Amino acid sequence: MSARPGGRVRLSGIGLVSAAGEDTAGTLASFRAGRRDPGPVTLFETPLACPVFETGLPQGSAAEGSRTLRLARRALVEALAEAGLDPRRDLQGPRVGVCLGTTVASQLNDLPFYTAFRADGRAPMEAVDRFLKGNLAEQLARELGAEGPCATIANACSSGADAIGTAWSWIRSGACDLAVAGGADEMNLVPLCGFHSLGVVSPEPCAPFDRDRRGLNLGEGAGILILEREEAAARRDAVSGLFVAGYGGACDAHHLTAPRPDGSGLESAVREALREAGAEPSDIAFVNAHGTATRDNDRVEGQALARLFGPDVRVLSTKGYVGHTLGAAGALEAGFTALALREGWVPASAGFRTPDPEIPLVPVTDITRIEGRMALSTSLAFGGVNAALVLERAP
Amino acid sequence: MGLVVPRGRGVDALGRALEEGWRAPASVEAQGLPGGQTPVYRVPAEAMVDPRALRAARRADRLTRMAVLAAWDAAAEGGLTAEGAGARVGVIFATALGPHATTFAFLDGILDYGQAGVSPTQFSHAVHNAAAAYIALALGIRGPALTFTQFHFGFHEAVRMAGAWLAGGRCEAVLVGAAEECGTVQASIAARRLAPPADGRIRPFAFGRPAGTVPGEGAAFFLLTPDGGASDAARIEVAFGAESAAGIDAETGLLILDAGGLSSEEAAYADAAQAGVPVASYAPVFGGTLGLSAFHASAAALTLRRERSFATPVPDHAPERALRVETGGRPVREAVCLRLDCAGRAAALRLRCSRGR
């Protein structure tokens, strides 16, 4: 490994909310047990029969903001606690940034509002107000008193990964010392109908990288990471042994919804992340792949990862446990990756049974011990966006 | 830079608009309002016809087409071609409201045809990063692409991120821009919430008096390269905080305020107007839009490039202690565009002539 510019970025807190668990402990318990529990949509009425991964977050009051915002708040509480940060004391001022990814919360997609508007143009404006006050990063920055860099990333399904990468770039460029980074998205009617219309929603629990995979399951959740400039973390005795070591992004310039068939965009993003981390492909202990279980994504991603890391690379998709959580996915998966590095094992790639002859690698089918210190998390998205994060554990 | 504004497409269209001053906005359909019409500074359809630039985006919505055209023109002006873009060029797009008209069209699909009958094309175009994707497609950009969506400092954060990519060597050039559209639903909401003035004039110096605003739309893109690049380029910096617009030279500087009646809390702009420093705002040309910072940056760049000042199109209530700018040959070496959010937090884009000029 070579020396890297810009200083190291410590990952001092992880907060996770998904169908796999309300926190990191619950998530690890689900992974250890190989437990997954998709079910029908309960949060709104739909005739679309497809399993989804909802969290147990109860319905909230309008004053609490959107469900996406509440998911993010819940993950934030856990991340701050693990980092040993007091939100009333430690996060104010211009050296604290907030960068969060989302898809649902960026749209004014309230169907009751729009139905009333269409009827006579006199719809109540509460939905508009909630939208205007619900920008994910702006709102959480306000609540925390953080006055540093602030961005909400809407890069479709790589939003969470790109938010972490953006916050990582802020810290490395000196824009802030600490950043709240991650992503959140709620189960919502618009993406459910939209992905259904694209013919990529599976009628059964998803099976990433499996020969007989039939598409994705939607999920909801939030992943929040606390990133700190290493020197700043050391000053307050933050003890986490985890780091975000590299980030790479690249676009396909190919198609709005389909990945570039040769996978070169993903390869470029991964190579950039490895370069930033000062790592070689052989340094990567495992890959937590995007692995949506759609025909196109898994074929292109699997082939690209096999080219980069060889066919024996340890790879898994955690979407079998939590579904595709859209703007939260890249953040949740970065959190899962960091947890696996810390714990020294990865869970089985849930849903996988039969190798696909078009995919020259086989995901892990059991809980698997890992020895290395670095791992990769990949994200692919609408718009031909590719993102890669390298996570690292201290020796 | 590249522009699509209510007076047309291109830098010359902006120049003509700034020379001419205020012109009445168009009227668009607005549901639920007396008369069924409301004023909007709307980009004319004829400004968005370009089969070559829009070849990849021929099925895209208005927001994307405006963004692609502005990015295309910025790339062309900067000498960036589709053949030469590749992996060392990035794109960062900022939008507050995104392709909301497409989102509403998708909701129409749910209401009209049921949840199983919606259009996949509308769904894929309703994501905020569709515009950045089409820009990458049109120009062969294979580097990083980000879309920022927020209501206050999205364009400022985009410029900051581009600076980090350039300084860190990740990119040799970054296309940075913003776009907002005003569809019929937004126009109706704006008519109810933003109290468009009866005469259609935005009064940017009203500073919180009940002046209202007229919504606008458009796109502005800039090709940013490392400092020391083209000798005829301007330099852009972004700063955040209460002092971000401090230190403007009264002789050669210009302060452009992002005030435009979008918020009833614009009184703090009055405090930002510095004694003796020339002050302007061009919201009456662009319309009241959350993307105003990017449009003001384009006006600032044009001021530097043409070595010519442009008067505020509707100068009513101009702050007394600041110097009112007249259209003419006053030399400006530095233009600072100041944005304040609802809580009074500040960010500024500071554009300077490059060393060669």
Side-chain angles (χ1 to χ4, degrees), chain A residues 46 107 129 150 152 155 249 264, chain B residues 115 126 142 145 149-150 170 193:
Chain A
T46 179
Q107 296 177 325
D129 293 336
C150 178
T152 299
N155 249 23
S264 58
Chain B
Q115 293 183 25
R142 302 292 307 277
T149 182
Q150 52 216 85
R170 175 67 186 90
R193 274 299 167 85

Side-chain angles (χ1 to χ4, degrees), chain B residues 242-267:
Chain B
E243 301 299 313
S244 56
I248 302 172
D249 186 281
E251 294 295 316
T252 60
L254 172 65
L255 175 63
I256 301 175
L257 302 175
D258 276 7
L262 267 176
S263 165
S264 60
E265 300 164 28
E266 294 190 340

Side-chain angles (χ1 to χ4, degrees), chain B:
Chain B
M1 63 181 164
L3 295 153
V4 176
V5 294
R7 303 279 185 95
R9 172 186 172 191
V11 174
D12 287 342
L14 172 63
R16 281 194 302 275
L18 294 175
E19 293 280 353
E20 290 169 7
W22 182 79
R23 197 190 284 175
S27 275
V28 303
E29 179 192 346
Q31 205 171 348
L33 295 177
Q37 297 279 310
T38 191
V40 172
Y41 286 97
R42 191 165 168 82
V43 171
E46 57 268 26
M48 289 188 285
V49 179
D50 185 336
R52 186 160 167 253
L54 295 174
R55 188 166 159 239
R58 60 193 178 278
R59 285 182 291 184
D61 55 30
R62 281 172 59 79
L63 182 82
T64 288
R65 282 184 283 144
M66 288 191 287
V68 169
L69 289 172
W72 178 275
D73 290 349
E77 192 181 86
L80 180 72
T81 63
E83 293 73 32
R88 304 304 295 171
V89 178
V91 56
I92 308 180
F93 175 55
T95 181
L97 300 176
H100 59 87
T102 303
T103 299
F104 293 132
F106 186 79
L107 297 182
D108 280 330
I110 293 175
L111 294 172
D112 293 337
Y113 304 110
Q115 293 183 25
V118 295
S119 158
T121 302
Q122 282 176 342
F123 173 61
S124 59
H125 286 76
V127 296
H128 276 45
N129 69 327
Y134 275 115
I135 290 167
L137 264 169
L139 291 164
I141 292 173
R142 302 292 307 277
L146 287 176
T147 295
F148 289 6
T149 182
Q150 52 216 85
F151 299 124
H152 299 297
F153 303 130
F155 181 66
H156 303 79
E157 292 293 358
V159 173
R160 178 186 345 231
M161 194 66 194
W165 284 352
L166 294 171
R170 175 67 186 90
C171 293
E172 293 167 1
V174 184
L175 268 168
V176 181
E180 300 294 342
E181 68 172 329
C182 187
T184 55
V185 180
Q186 193 202 343
S188 300
I189 293 171
R192 288 174 62 186
R193 274 299 167 85
L194 300 175
D199 62 1
R201 291 173 183 260
I202 294 173
R203 292 172 172 80
F205 296 146
F207 295 145
R209 295 181 183 91
T213 196
V214 177
E217 64 176 15
F221 264 83
F222 304 84
L223 184 68
L224 304 188
T225 54
D227 203 10
S231 62
D232 61 344
R235 180 176 188 182
I236 186 167
E237 294 172 359
V238 61
F240 296 82
E243 301 299 313
S244 56
I248 302 172
D249 186 281
E251 294 295 316
T252 60
L254 172 65
L255 175 63
I256 301 175
L257 302 175
D258 276 7
L262 267 176
S263 165
S264 60
E265 300 164 28
E266 294 190 340
Y269 280 111
D271 300 329
Q274 298 158 31
V277 173
V279 66
S281 174
Y282 306 108
V285 166
F286 299 117
T289 160
L290 290 162
L292 188 57
S293 300
F295 299 122
H296 270 158
S298 69
L302 196 67
T303 298
L304 298 177
R305 181 184 292 182
R306 296 198 172 169
E307 298 180 335
R308 184 169 174 78
S309 299
F310 301 101
T312 297
V314 182
D316 304 8
H317 317 297
E320 290 177 6
R321 59 183 177 153
L323 188 67
R324 188 169 136 178
V325 179
E326 300 298 337
T327 298
R330 178 183 171 276
V332 175
R333 306 290 297 172
E334 178 185 62
V336 179
C337 309
L338 178 68
R339 176 70 171 260
L340 304 175
D341 72 5
C342 298
R345 285 185 291 262
L349 297 158
R350 193 174 285 261
L351 285 85
R352 294 192 181 101
C353 291
S354 68
R355 289 185 295 270
R357 300 192 64 185

Side-chain angles (χ1 to χ4, degrees), chain A residues 32 139 182 298:
Chain A
R32 194 175 289 113
Q139 179 60 26
D298 289 10

Side-chain angles (χ1 to χ4, degrees), chain A residues 163-206:
Chain A
I164 293 168
T166 297
W168 175 85
S169 300
W170 288 344
I171 292 174
R172 300 242 306 175
S173 65
C176 61
D177 296 326
L178 184 151
V180 173
D185 255 330
E186 68 191 63
M187 184 63 60
N188 183 274
L189 178 65
V190 167
L192 182 71
C193 295
F195 281 108
H196 185 271
S197 74
L198 286 163
V200 296
V201 173
S202 175
E204 57 194 34
C206 65

